[in-house]
């Protein structure tokens, strides 16, 4: 076993995290929706221009809230890319939905909008899109099609906070969007997420669902004189201590994004000729997308080459990792009828994609070591 000296990811303290966490503990309120939570809500709403942001305990839980808000019932169909994390669809399956898996585009690895017309049926209740690596889906085509069929779009924007499509922030297109603040994302509080609400008709019910099905939020605003059980719901509020951690991270967004941009761009510049010489593909970022530099990946020529590459990096103490396995071929996906050949692009790229270390406090010398080792690889 070689010791890993350069991890794939590592959470970093980037600003006033420790001060804010201590302050939250001393303030006397550590439960949800305290001072720090309100500041994070305001920061997200003002920066992105969304009508409502609600912090949640995870992106998974924000997706579960979306499924509850859209009244997903058994028998409903939800369209989702096969190349994504389980939570993107599991949240809807929990309400009884049948997943309808869409293949991805070979360039951006985002849901292929050209396939959507054939996947929409009278039972379709929603389209869930994922901006892979924070590079936007073709939102013009997707939103136009969704409007024609009167279908809500949910953006799983776990990778894409502060990314843009045609100058507009990701997470502001769909009726709902979800963010993740898991340790592996650009901004973190360990475990956390947010629901962004663009359809203002869903705001009041979202507050109720997030507060155990009660009208507590309206009670605190003095809009009702007692607080009681009014709907279904659960407990999706993170502690204000986590919001304090997250606020400190988000305050440093300009510095964090600048650092990630530098790392991503250096990979792309230094690996271009090596990749081209060996039939290895580097990421495609269409000109109408501003990406938040969430991850840097390579598409190897084959599964064998990828396996050899990961071993080659590991032998030098560097962790590189593959990504999603096709959901339609998972044990659960097969229960819904998924078969080999359904999503050929997903099946192909899932075998060949590998991600390089990229984290907020990655040193220049660590990155130089990664680049040197990568260039020694011949598939
Ligand atoms: C990380 C991630 C999630 C889950 O986020 P959690 O906050 O861990 O629940 C969902 N979707 C995508 C695309 C992700 O990358």
């Amino acid at each position: 076993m070689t010791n890993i000296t350069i991890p794939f990811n590592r959470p970093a303290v980037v600003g006033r995290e420790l001060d804010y966490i201590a302050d939250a503990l001393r303030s006397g309120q550590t439960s949800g929706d305290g001072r720090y939570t309100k500041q994070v809500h305001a920061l997200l709403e003002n920066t992105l221009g969304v009508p409502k942001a609600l912090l949640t305990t995870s992106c998974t839980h924000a997706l579960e809230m979306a499924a509850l808000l859209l009244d997903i019932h058994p028998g409903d169909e939800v369209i989702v890319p096969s190349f994504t994390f389980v939570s993107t669809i599991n949240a809807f399956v929990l309400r009884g939905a049948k997943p309808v898996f869409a293949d991805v585009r070979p360039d951006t690895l985002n849901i292929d909008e050209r396939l959507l017309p054939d996947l929409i049926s009278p039972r379709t209740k929603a389209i869930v899109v994922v901006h892979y690596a924070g590079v936007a889906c073709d939102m013009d085509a997707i939103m136009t099609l969704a409007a024609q069929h009167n279908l809500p779009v949910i953006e799983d924007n776990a990778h894409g906070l502060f990314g843009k499509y045609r100058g507009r922030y990701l997470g502001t297109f769909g009726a709902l969007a979800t963010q993740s603040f898991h340790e592996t994302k650009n901004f973190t509080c360990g475990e956390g997420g947010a629901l962004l609400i663009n359809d203002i008709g869903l705001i009041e019910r979202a507050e109720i669902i997030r507060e155990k099905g009660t009208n507590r939020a309206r009670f605190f605003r003095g809009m009702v004189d007692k607080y009681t059980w009014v709907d279904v719901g659960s407990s999706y509020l993170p502690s204000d201590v986590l919001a304090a951690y997250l606020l400190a991270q988000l305050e440093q967004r300009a510095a964090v994004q600048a650092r990630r941009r530098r790392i991503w761009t250096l990979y792309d510049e230094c690996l271009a000729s090596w990749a081209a010489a060996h039939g290895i593909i580097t990421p495609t970022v269409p000109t109408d997308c501003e990406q938040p530099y969430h991850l840097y990946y390579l598409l190897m020529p084959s599964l064998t080459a990828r396996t050899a590459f990961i071993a080659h990096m590991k032998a030098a103490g560097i962790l590189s990792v593959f990504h999603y396995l096709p959901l339609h071929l998972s044990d659960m996906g097969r229960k819904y009828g998924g078969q080999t050949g359904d999503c050929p692009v997903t099946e192909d790229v899932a075998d060949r994609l590998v991600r390089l270390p990229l984290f907020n406090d990655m040193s220049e010398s660590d990155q130089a070591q990664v680049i040197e080792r990568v260039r020694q690889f011949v598939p």
Side-chain angles (χ1 to χ4, degrees), residues 22-312:
D23 182 55
L25 286 173
R26 286 195 203 99
S27 75
Q29 178 171 0
T30 54
S31 59
D33 276 347
R35 205 151 43 87
Y36 283 102
T37 305
K38 291 193 172 86
Q39 286 186 73
V40 172
H41 288 171
L43 185 151
L44 291 172
E45 288 162 9
N46 296 334
T47 309
L48 302 174
V50 285
K52 191 78 186 171
L54 292 172
L55 276 188
T56 58
T57 31
S58 64
C59 181
T60 301
H61 280 165
L63 287 158
E64 287 180 20
M65 282 184 68
L68 285 164
L69 274 167
L70 296 175
D71 281 322
I72 302 294
H73 288 115
D76 294 341
E77 293 179 358
V78 173
I79 299 174
V80 65
S82 178
F83 190 64
T84 185
F85 188 63
V86 284
S87 295
T88 313
I89 188 59
N90 195 49
F92 298 87
V93 170
L94 266 176
R95 313 306 318 153
K98 173 181 187 276
V100 174
F101 295 108
D103 206 354
V104 294
R105 294 161 51 128
D107 55 354
T108 57
L109 314 185
N110 284 327
I111 194 164
D112 190 336
E113 66 283 354
R114 294 164 305 183
L115 302 174
L116 294 176
D118 283 345
L119 297 176
I120 293 172
S121 85
R123 288 168 177 267
T124 307
K125 278 294 282 287
I127 301 172
V128 190
V129 302
V130 179
H131 306 296
Y132 186 71
V135 175
C137 299
D138 185 341
M139 293 312 286
D140 278 356
I142 292 166
M143 296 311 293
T144 302
L145 186 74
Q148 282 163 1
H149 293 269
N150 205 17
L151 287 171
V153 171
I154 300 101
E155 299 172 76
D156 178 343
N157 195 32
H159 300 182
L161 184 59
F162 305 128
K164 288 181 179 177
Y165 172 75
R166 304 206 164 157
R168 182 170 151 191
Y169 280 112
L170 302 184
T172 66
F173 291 86
L176 298 164
T178 63
Q179 302 296 152
S180 175
F181 301 113
H182 184 262
E183 180 181 296
T184 50
K185 304 306 193 304
N186 290 19
F187 301 90
T188 183
C189 57
E191 300 274 359
L195 181 69
L196 308 181
I197 307 170
N198 296 303
D199 178 346
I200 57 172
L202 297 173
I203 293 175
E204 189 183 329
R205 190 157 177 247
E207 291 179 331
I208 290 168
I209 286 170
R210 181 166 165 271
E211 272 281 16
K212 299 92 180 164
T214 72
N215 56 356
R216 193 165 186 264
R218 282 171 71 77
F219 174 72
F220 277 122
R221 287 199 292 267
M223 294 164 76
V224 285
D225 62 5
K226 55 188 180 310
Y227 114 67
T228 185
W229 184 24
V230 294
D231 203 333
V232 295
S234 190
S235 184
Y236 293 125
L237 291 75
S239 159
D240 215 47
V241 180
L242 289 180
Y245 178 177
L246 183 61
L247 178 67
Q249 291 255 313
L250 292 173
E251 281 178 348
Q252 293 300 313
R253 60 196 177 281
V256 165
Q257 292 304 88
R259 212 171 305 149
R260 298 188 75 97
R261 176 170 196 239
R262 228 171 19 246
I263 298 169
W264 196 99
T265 307
L266 193 65
Y267 273 142
D268 212 46
E269 287 169 3
C270 294
L271 299 179
S273 59
W274 162 82
H278 297 294
I280 292 158
I281 310 290
T282 56
T284 302
V285 183
T287 51
D288 49 9
C289 299
E290 280 174 54
Q291 59 149 333
Y293 307 97
H294 175 55
L295 57 89
Y296 193 85
Y297 66 84
L298 299 167
L299 280 174
M300 290 287 153
S302 65
L303 174 59
T304 314
R306 183 181 70 182
T307 307
F309 178 85
I310 292 172
H312 166 83

